[in-house]
Amino acid sequence: MLDVLRLISQWSVPTFIVSSMLAAGLGLRPRAVLGALARPRLVTGALVINFVVAPAVGYAITRLFHLQPAHAVGLLLLACAAGAPFAPKLAEAAREDVPLAVALMALFTVGTIVVMPLALPLLTPGFSVSAGAIVRALVPVMVIPLVVGTIVGARAPRSAATVLPFVRAIASVSLVMLLVLVIGLNTPALWSVVGSGAFAASLVFIAVVFAIGYVSGGARRELRAGLGLATAARNVGAAVPVAAAGHNPEVMVMILVATVGELVVCVGAVAWIRRGKGGTPEGGPSTEPAVGAVERGAGVATHRQ
Protein backbone atom coordinates (compact mmCIF):
# COMPACT_ATOMS: atom_id res chain seq x y z
CA MET A 1 0.00 0.00 0.00
CA LEU A 2 2.83 2.35 0.87
CA ASP A 3 4.44 1.73 -2.53
CA VAL A 4 1.15 2.59 -4.25
CA LEU A 5 0.89 5.86 -2.33
CA ARG A 6 4.47 6.74 -3.24
CA LEU A 7 3.73 6.03 -6.90
CA ILE A 8 0.63 8.25 -6.77
CA SER A 9 2.68 10.95 -5.07
CA GLN A 10 5.31 10.80 -7.81
CA TRP A 11 2.71 11.08 -10.58
CA SER A 12 0.83 13.88 -8.83
CA VAL A 13 3.83 16.19 -9.24
CA PRO A 14 3.97 16.25 -13.08
CA THR A 15 0.18 16.05 -13.23
CA PHE A 16 -0.17 19.19 -11.14
CA ILE A 17 2.49 21.11 -13.04
CA VAL A 18 1.28 20.16 -16.52
CA SER A 19 -2.41 20.71 -15.75
CA SER A 20 -1.83 24.03 -14.03
CA MET A 21 0.32 25.34 -16.87
CA LEU A 22 -2.16 24.06 -19.46
CA ALA A 23 -4.97 25.82 -17.59
CA ALA A 24 -2.86 28.96 -17.48
CA GLY A 25 -2.40 28.81 -21.24
CA LEU A 26 -6.07 28.15 -21.91
CA GLY A 27 -6.95 31.20 -19.83
CA LEU A 28 -4.42 33.52 -21.42
CA ARG A 29 -5.63 36.15 -23.84
CA PRO A 30 -2.68 37.52 -25.85
CA ARG A 31 -4.20 40.99 -26.25
CA ALA A 32 -4.85 41.32 -22.53
CA VAL A 33 -1.34 40.10 -21.71
CA LEU A 34 0.33 42.45 -24.18
CA GLY A 35 -1.79 45.35 -22.96
CA ALA A 36 -0.87 44.68 -19.35
CA LEU A 37 2.82 44.43 -20.23
CA ALA A 38 2.88 47.61 -22.31
CA ARG A 39 4.73 49.35 -19.50
CA PRO A 40 8.51 49.11 -20.05
CA ARG A 41 9.41 50.42 -16.61
CA LEU A 42 7.06 47.99 -14.87
CA VAL A 43 8.29 45.01 -16.89
CA THR A 44 11.96 45.87 -16.34
CA GLY A 45 11.45 46.46 -12.64
CA ALA A 46 9.45 43.25 -12.23
CA LEU A 47 12.14 41.18 -13.95
CA VAL A 48 14.93 42.72 -11.86
CA ILE A 49 13.03 42.17 -8.62
CA ASN A 50 12.16 38.55 -9.37
CA PHE A 51 15.37 37.36 -10.99
CA VAL A 52 18.06 39.52 -9.38
CA VAL A 53 16.74 40.85 -6.08
CA ALA A 54 14.76 37.76 -5.01
CA PRO A 55 17.69 35.33 -5.48
CA ALA A 56 19.97 37.79 -3.64
CA VAL A 57 17.49 38.02 -0.76
CA GLY A 58 17.17 34.24 -0.70
CA TYR A 59 20.94 33.83 -0.57
CA ALA A 60 21.24 36.37 2.26
CA ILE A 61 18.53 34.61 4.27
CA THR A 62 20.21 31.21 3.92
CA ARG A 63 23.30 32.80 5.45
CA LEU A 64 21.40 34.73 8.11
CA PHE A 65 19.56 31.61 9.33
CA HIS A 66 22.59 29.34 8.86
CA LEU A 67 20.52 26.83 6.91
CA GLN A 68 22.07 23.47 6.25
CA PRO A 69 23.15 23.00 2.60
CA ALA A 70 20.14 20.99 1.40
CA HIS A 71 17.68 23.42 2.98
CA ALA A 72 19.55 26.36 1.50
CA VAL A 73 19.31 24.77 -1.96
CA GLY A 74 15.56 24.31 -1.56
CA LEU A 75 15.03 27.94 -0.61
CA LEU A 76 17.26 29.15 -3.43
CA LEU A 77 15.31 27.04 -5.91
CA LEU A 78 12.17 28.96 -4.96
CA ALA A 79 14.10 32.23 -5.00
CA CYS A 80 15.04 31.60 -8.64
CA ALA A 81 11.56 30.37 -9.63
CA ALA A 82 8.93 33.02 -10.33
CA GLY A 83 5.58 32.89 -12.09
CA ALA A 84 3.42 30.68 -9.87
CA PRO A 85 0.27 29.56 -11.71
CA PHE A 86 -1.89 30.52 -8.73
CA ALA A 87 -0.71 34.17 -8.73
CA PRO A 88 -3.69 35.38 -10.81
CA LYS A 89 -6.03 33.70 -8.33
CA LEU A 90 -4.37 35.64 -5.54
CA ALA A 91 -5.05 38.85 -7.45
CA GLU A 92 -8.66 37.80 -7.96
CA ALA A 93 -9.05 37.03 -4.25
CA ALA A 94 -7.55 40.43 -3.41
CA ARG A 95 -9.88 42.14 -5.94
CA GLU A 96 -6.92 43.47 -7.89
CA ASP A 97 -5.83 43.56 -11.54
CA VAL A 98 -6.17 39.95 -12.75
CA PRO A 99 -5.00 40.59 -16.36
CA LEU A 100 -1.82 42.13 -14.94
CA ALA A 101 -1.30 39.08 -12.72
CA VAL A 102 -1.80 36.73 -15.68
CA ALA A 103 0.64 38.75 -17.78
CA LEU A 104 3.27 38.74 -15.03
CA MET A 105 2.79 35.01 -14.51
CA ALA A 106 3.47 34.33 -18.19
CA LEU A 107 6.44 36.71 -18.22
CA PHE A 108 7.95 35.20 -15.08
CA THR A 109 7.47 31.65 -16.32
CA VAL A 110 9.58 32.40 -19.38
CA GLY A 111 12.08 34.25 -17.19
CA THR A 112 12.38 31.25 -14.88
CA ILE A 113 13.24 28.96 -17.77
CA VAL A 114 16.01 31.34 -18.85
CA VAL A 115 17.39 32.45 -15.49
CA MET A 116 17.28 29.33 -13.32
CA PRO A 117 19.81 27.31 -15.36
CA LEU A 118 22.20 30.27 -15.22
CA ALA A 119 21.71 31.46 -11.65
CA LEU A 120 21.29 28.22 -9.72
CA PRO A 121 24.76 26.75 -10.40
CA LEU A 122 26.29 30.05 -9.26
CA LEU A 123 24.23 30.22 -6.06
CA THR A 124 24.46 26.51 -5.21
CA PRO A 125 27.78 25.16 -6.50
CA GLY A 126 27.29 21.91 -4.56
CA PHE A 127 23.94 21.13 -6.14
CA SER A 128 24.59 18.45 -8.75
CA VAL A 129 22.16 19.46 -11.48
CA SER A 130 23.52 20.95 -14.69
CA ALA A 131 21.98 23.85 -16.57
CA GLY A 132 20.97 21.48 -19.37
CA ALA A 133 19.26 19.15 -16.91
CA ILE A 134 17.30 22.09 -15.48
CA VAL A 135 16.08 23.10 -18.93
CA ARG A 136 15.14 19.51 -19.75
CA ALA A 137 13.23 19.25 -16.46
CA LEU A 138 11.26 22.46 -16.99
CA VAL A 139 10.46 22.68 -20.69
CA PRO A 140 8.27 19.54 -21.06
CA VAL A 141 6.13 20.21 -17.99
CA MET A 142 5.94 24.01 -18.10
CA VAL A 143 6.69 25.58 -21.45
CA ILE A 144 5.02 23.06 -23.76
CA PRO A 145 1.69 22.91 -21.84
CA LEU A 146 1.63 26.71 -21.54
CA VAL A 147 2.25 27.17 -25.28
CA VAL A 148 -0.25 24.48 -26.26
CA GLY A 149 -2.90 25.96 -23.99
CA THR A 150 -2.29 29.45 -25.34
CA ILE A 151 -2.58 28.30 -28.96
CA VAL A 152 -5.79 26.36 -28.28
CA GLY A 153 -7.25 29.29 -26.37
CA ALA A 154 -6.48 31.69 -29.20
CA ARG A 155 -7.55 29.48 -32.11
CA ALA A 156 -10.46 27.61 -30.55
CA PRO A 157 -11.83 29.69 -27.67
CA ARG A 158 -15.05 27.67 -27.41
CA SER A 159 -13.17 24.41 -27.12
CA ALA A 160 -10.84 26.00 -24.58
CA ALA A 161 -13.81 27.17 -22.52
CA THR A 162 -15.24 23.64 -22.57
CA VAL A 163 -12.00 21.94 -21.58
CA LEU A 164 -10.87 24.50 -19.03
CA PRO A 165 -13.10 23.43 -16.10
CA PHE A 166 -11.86 19.85 -16.40
CA VAL A 167 -8.22 20.96 -16.51
CA ARG A 168 -8.86 23.18 -13.49
CA ALA A 169 -10.32 20.24 -11.60
CA ILE A 170 -7.35 18.02 -12.44
CA ALA A 171 -4.93 20.72 -11.28
CA SER A 172 -6.78 21.30 -8.01
CA VAL A 173 -7.18 17.59 -7.20
CA SER A 174 -3.56 16.79 -8.05
CA LEU A 175 -2.36 19.70 -5.90
CA VAL A 176 -4.34 18.45 -2.90
CA MET A 177 -3.10 14.90 -3.46
CA LEU A 178 0.45 16.16 -3.79
CA LEU A 179 0.35 18.12 -0.55
CA VAL A 180 -1.42 15.41 1.44
CA LEU A 181 0.72 12.55 0.20
CA VAL A 182 4.03 14.39 0.40
CA ILE A 183 3.27 15.52 3.94
CA GLY A 184 2.02 12.07 4.96
CA LEU A 185 4.90 10.17 3.39
CA ASN A 186 7.55 12.57 4.67
CA THR A 187 6.31 13.30 8.18
CA PRO A 188 9.57 12.13 9.85
CA ALA A 189 11.60 14.29 7.48
CA LEU A 190 9.33 17.28 8.15
CA TRP A 191 9.72 16.84 11.88
CA SER A 192 13.46 16.78 11.36
CA VAL A 193 13.47 20.40 10.22
CA VAL A 194 11.83 21.60 13.44
CA GLY A 195 14.30 23.89 15.14
CA SER A 196 16.46 24.21 12.03
CA GLY A 197 15.10 27.64 11.11
CA ALA A 198 13.86 26.37 7.74
CA PHE A 199 10.23 27.41 8.19
CA ALA A 200 11.13 30.78 9.71
CA ALA A 201 13.54 31.44 6.86
CA SER A 202 10.78 30.66 4.35
CA LEU A 203 8.35 33.03 6.03
CA VAL A 204 10.92 35.83 6.13
CA PHE A 205 11.91 35.31 2.50
CA ILE A 206 8.36 35.43 1.13
CA ALA A 207 7.43 38.38 3.34
CA VAL A 208 10.51 40.35 2.27
CA VAL A 209 10.06 39.77 -1.46
CA PHE A 210 6.36 40.65 -1.18
CA ALA A 211 7.29 43.92 0.52
CA ILE A 212 9.93 44.71 -2.10
CA GLY A 213 7.51 43.98 -4.95
CA TYR A 214 4.76 46.00 -3.29
CA VAL A 215 6.91 49.06 -2.65
CA SER A 216 8.36 48.87 -6.17
CA GLY A 217 4.90 49.07 -7.75
CA GLY A 218 4.95 52.86 -7.62
CA ALA A 219 2.11 55.22 -6.91
CA ARG A 220 -0.73 53.20 -8.44
CA ARG A 221 -2.27 50.93 -5.86
CA GLU A 222 -3.23 48.17 -8.29
CA LEU A 223 0.34 47.96 -9.54
CA ARG A 224 1.69 47.80 -5.98
CA ALA A 225 -0.65 45.00 -5.00
CA GLY A 226 -0.23 43.14 -8.29
CA LEU A 227 3.56 43.22 -8.30
CA GLY A 228 3.74 42.38 -4.60
CA LEU A 229 1.53 39.31 -4.92
CA ALA A 230 3.17 38.15 -8.15
CA THR A 231 6.60 38.40 -6.52
CA ALA A 232 5.56 36.58 -3.35
CA ALA A 233 4.00 33.72 -5.34
CA ARG A 234 7.11 31.70 -6.08
CA ASN A 235 6.80 28.94 -8.66
CA VAL A 236 6.79 25.67 -6.75
CA GLY A 237 5.98 23.86 -10.00
CA ALA A 238 9.32 24.95 -11.43
CA ALA A 239 11.28 24.14 -8.29
CA VAL A 240 9.94 20.61 -7.80
CA PRO A 241 11.19 18.94 -11.03
CA VAL A 242 14.62 20.53 -10.60
CA ALA A 243 14.78 19.32 -7.01
CA ALA A 244 13.72 15.85 -8.15
CA ALA A 245 16.51 15.85 -10.72
CA GLY A 246 19.00 16.42 -7.91
CA HIS A 247 17.89 13.23 -6.10
CA ASN A 248 18.18 14.80 -2.64
CA PRO A 249 15.06 14.26 -0.52
CA GLU A 250 16.10 16.95 1.94
CA VAL A 251 15.87 19.56 -0.83
CA MET A 252 12.34 18.42 -1.61
CA VAL A 253 11.41 18.58 2.07
CA MET A 254 12.63 22.17 2.21
CA ILE A 255 10.54 23.07 -0.82
CA LEU A 256 7.50 21.59 0.91
CA VAL A 257 8.23 23.57 4.07
CA ALA A 258 8.79 26.74 2.05
CA THR A 259 5.54 26.13 0.15
CA VAL A 260 3.63 26.14 3.42
CA GLY A 261 5.36 29.37 4.38
CA GLU A 262 4.53 30.83 0.97
CA LEU A 263 0.83 30.02 1.35
CA VAL A 264 0.75 31.52 4.85
CA VAL A 265 2.30 34.80 3.73
CA CYS A 266 0.32 35.04 0.48
CA VAL A 267 -3.03 34.44 2.19
CA GLY A 268 -2.07 37.00 4.81
CA ALA A 269 -1.09 39.48 2.10
CA VAL A 270 -4.41 38.98 0.32
CA ALA A 271 -6.31 39.59 3.56
CA TRP A 272 -4.21 42.70 4.27
CA ILE A 273 -4.85 44.15 0.83
CA ARG A 274 -8.58 43.45 1.06
CA ARG A 275 -8.81 45.23 4.39
CA GLY A 276 -7.73 48.38 2.62
CA LYS A 277 -4.25 48.83 4.09
CA GLY A 278 -2.77 47.92 0.74
CA GLY A 279 -5.03 50.22 -1.25
CA THR A 280 -7.93 47.97 -2.25
CA PRO A 281 -10.01 49.44 -5.05
CA GLU A 282 -13.14 51.21 -3.97
CA GLY A 283 -16.33 49.27 -4.03
CA GLY A 284 -18.35 47.11 -1.73
CA PRO A 285 -16.69 44.29 0.13
CA SER A 286 -16.53 40.97 -1.62
CA THR A 287 -18.78 38.22 -0.30
CA GLU A 288 -16.15 35.56 -1.01
CA PRO A 289 -13.60 34.98 1.76
CA ALA A 290 -10.06 35.56 0.61
CA VAL A 291 -8.74 32.29 1.98
CA GLY A 292 -11.47 30.26 0.30
CA ALA A 293 -10.83 31.91 -3.05
CA VAL A 294 -7.13 31.18 -2.82
CA GLU A 295 -7.65 27.57 -1.81
CA ARG A 296 -10.11 26.89 -4.60
CA GLY A 297 -7.84 28.42 -7.20
CA ALA A 298 -4.44 27.20 -6.00
CA GLY A 299 -2.37 26.02 -8.91
CA VAL A 300 -4.74 27.31 -11.58
CA ALA A 301 -4.11 30.57 -13.41
CA THR A 302 -7.04 31.71 -15.49
CA HIS A 303 -8.74 34.94 -16.36
CA ARG A 304 -12.32 34.86 -17.47
CA GLN A 305 -12.81 37.09 -20.39
Side-chain angles (χ1 to χ4, degrees), residues 18-278:
V18 171
S19 58
S20 61
M21 296 310 299
L22 180 59
L26 291 171
L28 285 177
R29 296 297 180 267
R31 288 185 180 180
V33 171
L34 293 176
L37 294 179
R39 305 180 178 102
R41 291 182 60 182
L42 173 66
V43 171
T44 302
L47 290 174
V48 170
I49 291 168
N50 278 269
F51 297 112
V52 177
V53 177
V57 170
Y59 184 81
I61 288 176
T62 63
R63 297 294 184 177
L64 179 64
F65 283 82
H66 304 289
L67 295 182
Q68 59 176 275
H71 294 166
V73 169
L75 186 62
L76 289 170
L77 273 171
L78 281 182
C80 294
F86 67 86
K89 206 65 182 178
L90 291 175
E92 181 181 339
R95 297 192 302 167
E96 293 296 339
D97 191 339
V98 177
L100 174 63
V102 173
L104 290 176
M105 182 274 298
L107 177 68
F108 293 162
T109 298
V110 176
T112 297
I113 303 297
V114 175
V115 172
M116 185 180 281
L118 300 175
L120 199 60
L122 297 177
L123 294 172
T124 60
F127 187 53
S128 58
V129 177
S130 65
I134 294 174
V135 172
R136 289 192 296 272
L138 295 181
V139 170
V141 295
M142 292 189 66
V143 177
I144 294 177
L146 181 63
V147 172
V148 170
T150 303
I151 293 174
V152 172
R155 294 181 176 273
R158 291 185 179 180
S159 298
T162 301
V163 172
L164 188 53
F166 297 99
V167 180
R168 281 180 177 174
I170 293 172
S172 298
V173 171
S174 60
L175 175 62
V176 172
M177 291 177 60
L178 171 62
L179 292 175
V180 171
L181 290 175
V182 170
I183 291 174
L185 294 172
N186 295 278
T187 300
L190 290 174
W191 276 112
S192 70
V193 307
V194 175
S196 67
F199 185 63
S202 304
L203 290 174
V204 172
F205 169 70
I206 300 298
V208 169
V209 296
F210 167 76
I212 292 173
Y214 185 88
V215 172
S216 302
R220 296 179 60 182
R221 58 191 181 183
E222 67 272 17
L223 294 185
R224 293 199 305 269
L227 185 54
L229 291 173
T231 303
R234 310 312 292 174
N235 196 335
V236 179
V240 166
V242 177
H247 304 291
N248 188 336
E250 289 296 320
V251 175
M252 192 69 76
V253 168
M254 180 58 191
I255 291 177
L256 177 61
V257 171
T259 299
V260 176
E262 176 180 343
L263 291 175
V264 169
V265 175
C266 286
V267 170
V270 166
W272 178 70
I273 292 171
R274 283 171 63 100
R275 281 200 305 266
K277 292 182 179 179

